[in-house]
Amino acid sequence: MYYILVIGDIVGKTGRNVLFSHLPELQKEFDINFTIVNGENAVTRNGITEKYAYQMLEAGADVITLGNHAFDKSDIFPMLEKGDRIIRPLNYPPDRPGDGVYLTEKDGMRIAVINLIGKVYLDEKNSCPFVTGKKAVENVKDRADIIVVDFHAEATSEKQALGYYLDGEATAVYGTHTHVQTNDDRILPGGTAYLTDVGMTGPVESVIGLKKEIAIPRFLGERTKTFEWAEGEAMINGIVYGIDESDFKVREMTKINRRYNG
Ligand SMILES: [Fe+2]
Ligand SMILES: [Fe+2]
């Protein structure tokens, strides 16, 4: 069996620290061959910097995926342009730095990771994730044994629809962005492993990462400009795929939802 670990959106310092401290032991526990980390919320006010991206890679990530905050910090642009083990959603306008597909080989397996962003409740200017995603999968299928898709999207319906749209072609399609892990991991009829959202890696006592004392007033109409990720008890959310090396299909899925003292 070949094991891939996916880690949900790293949120702030709490998320970074819990990842750096506990990723190696998770990789050991699940006998992981390849690790994908979504790093789009690594810094305050979102985005990621080169320093933290390299720290994630040093901690054991094989590739970093991003989302709607991919371009919030221009510090990451050179690393994106080099394509140094970091990708951003493929269906952004083509003038944006970086690529949305990462191809590599590890432990005898050729792997393609594709990052896409949804359109529903997100930036409508992006090209269609369905059309772009299908083309990308077709483009890499002769060069990859395993194709994994990180679909960074808000709407559960858009995520499920893309899962079915790529069913039988992608090895696994999982969602990121909502920061709440869903409980619908399953194998679709065509053989693609599907999960609506892997969740987030960051502070437990928070509103999707944000301090609840800042998040709640926003819903009460206060236009506060304050932005602070919460701290304290941390969680790691993710999923492990066990992939059969004879036919490259997912046979096992284990969701990760661990808590660690702050
Ligand atoms: Fe996120
Ligand atoms: Fe996001």
Side-chain angles (χ1 to χ4, degrees):
M1 205 75 87
Y2 190 93
Y3 290 100
I4 293 183
L5 169 64
V6 172
I7 301 282
D9 307 25
I10 306 300
V11 172
K13 188 178 173 189
T14 306
R16 296 192 312 265
N17 288 345
V18 75
L19 180 82
F20 300 154
S21 314
H22 297 284
L23 181 59
E25 78 201 31
L26 278 177
Q27 289 172 321
K28 208 168 172 191
E29 179 181 340
F30 291 97
D31 206 11
I32 297 300
N33 297 97
F34 192 83
T35 302
I36 306 165
V37 173
N38 187 299
E40 72 140 11
N41 311 108
V43 298
T44 304
R45 291 195 174 272
N46 298 305
I48 190 167
T49 56
E50 196 169 284
K51 177 183 160 191
Y52 293 138
Y54 279 115
Q55 281 183 355
M56 285 178 197
L57 295 169
E58 274 160 33
D62 290 288
V63 63
I64 298 165
T65 54
L66 295 169
N68 53 311
H69 297 294
F71 310 114
D72 285 17
K73 300 279 180 283
S74 56
D75 175 83
I76 199 68
F77 290 7
M79 192 176 173
L80 277 171
E81 260 154 13
K82 270 187 270 168
D84 192 5
R85 293 165 289 165
I86 186 164
I87 54 173
R88 47 73 168 175
L90 180 64
N91 51 322
Y92 268 113
D95 63 335
R96 303 270 63 198
D99 199 353
V101 180
Y102 179 73
L103 275 159
T104 192
E105 191 167 343
K106 193 175 178 203
D107 298 342
M109 200 68 88
R110 298 174 306 159
I111 300 169
V113 181
I114 299 170
N115 196 182
L116 296 167
I117 192 163
K119 286 177 77 104
V120 180
Y121 305 126
L122 281 167
D123 196 340
E124 299 280 329
K125 290 192 293 295
N126 298 321
S127 69
C128 175
F130 290 74
V131 173
T132 307
K134 182 84 117 186
K135 267 192 207 154
V137 167
E138 277 162 13
N139 190 37
V140 299
K141 71 180 179 206
D142 295 334
R143 291 176 284 159
D145 306 309
I146 293 171
I147 301 171
V148 182
V149 177
D150 173 340
F151 187 31
H152 198 81
E154 183 77 41
T156 50
S157 56
E158 192 180 17
K159 288 169 163 177
Q160 283 191 341
L162 187 87
Y164 281 120
Y165 192 64
L166 298 178
D167 186 20
E169 297 189 61
T171 310
V173 174
Y174 63 86
T176 55
H177 177 70
T178 67
H179 292 195
V180 179
Q181 188 176 73
T182 57
N183 194 25
D184 60 338
D185 48 311
R186 64 195 168 112
I187 307 290
L188 301 178
T192 295
Y194 177 77
L195 174 67
T196 296
D197 208 288
V198 293
M200 75 168 202
T201 294
V204 174
E205 295 302 338
S206 71
V207 176
I208 64 167
L210 199 64
K211 262 190 177 176
K212 55 187 186 299
E213 296 78 10
I214 294 170
I216 294 166
R218 292 181 172 203
F219 290 99
L220 292 167
E222 283 178 38
R223 297 314 303 161
T224 166
K225 286 203 171 85
T226 322
F227 187 106
E228 220 180 309
W229 294 126
E231 291 182 4
E233 190 187 10
M235 63 183 181
I236 293 182
N237 279 185
I239 187 166
V240 175
Y241 297 107
I243 299 164
D244 194 323
E245 281 146 316
S246 66
D247 62 359
F248 312 117
K249 298 266 187 226
V250 174
R251 294 276 182 269
E252 301 166 10
M253 277 183 279
T254 310
K255 290 196 299 301
I256 309 283
N257 183 10
R258 299 276 172 96
R259 291 193 181 196
Y260 304 89
N261 289 332

